[in-house]
Amino acid sequence: MKCPIDGSELEKRMHENTVEVDACNECGGVWLDANELEKIQDVKINDYKEELARIPDYVGKSILMAKSKDQPLLNCPKCDREMERREYGYCSQIYIDSCVNGHGVWLDKSELKDLEVFYERSRIEAPEIRMGFFSSLLDFFK
């Protein structure tokens, strides 16, 4: 397969010793076949304690998101059809390019790491958010 950014040949690599991905040595982007992103989401090998301890740069990410909206859409390296660009999940501030035929997703350099940090942060914050919701609900009925 060819890189949708620069046309270089994509190279197969193991990510976290569990998922085989196709990576570009030139731009640092990664192609994930269908369901590989979900497999990576379930794996917790890398330690992101440092990143999680920092306050997220929401302003910087918002600027990057705004800039990426102006970039031309990429073609899927499998079917060559134009992909859709969308924010991953709710409030991740990470745009991914997704094949409309369901072949997979393209992640630009560092977006895979950003997604893994997002997953870890979500795992930590989800119970706190639920507890806050239920506490406020109980307060409402008091």
Side-chain angles (χ1 to χ4, degrees), residues 4 14 16 28-29 51-52 67 74-75 88 115 122 129:
M14 290 303 290
E16 296 184 334
E51 287 86 350
L52 293 168
K67 285 181 181 179
L74 304 175
N75 289 346
Y88 178 84
L115 281 172
S122 297
I129 292 169

Side-chain angles (χ1 to χ4, degrees), residues 3-8 10 13 23-30 74 106-110:
C3 173
I5 301 286
D6 57 40
S8 300
L10 296 178
R13 289 191 196 148
C24 179
N25 289 326
E26 297 300 314
C27 73
V30 178
L74 304 175
W106 176 259
L107 302 174
D108 294 325
K109 183 179 181 175
S110 82

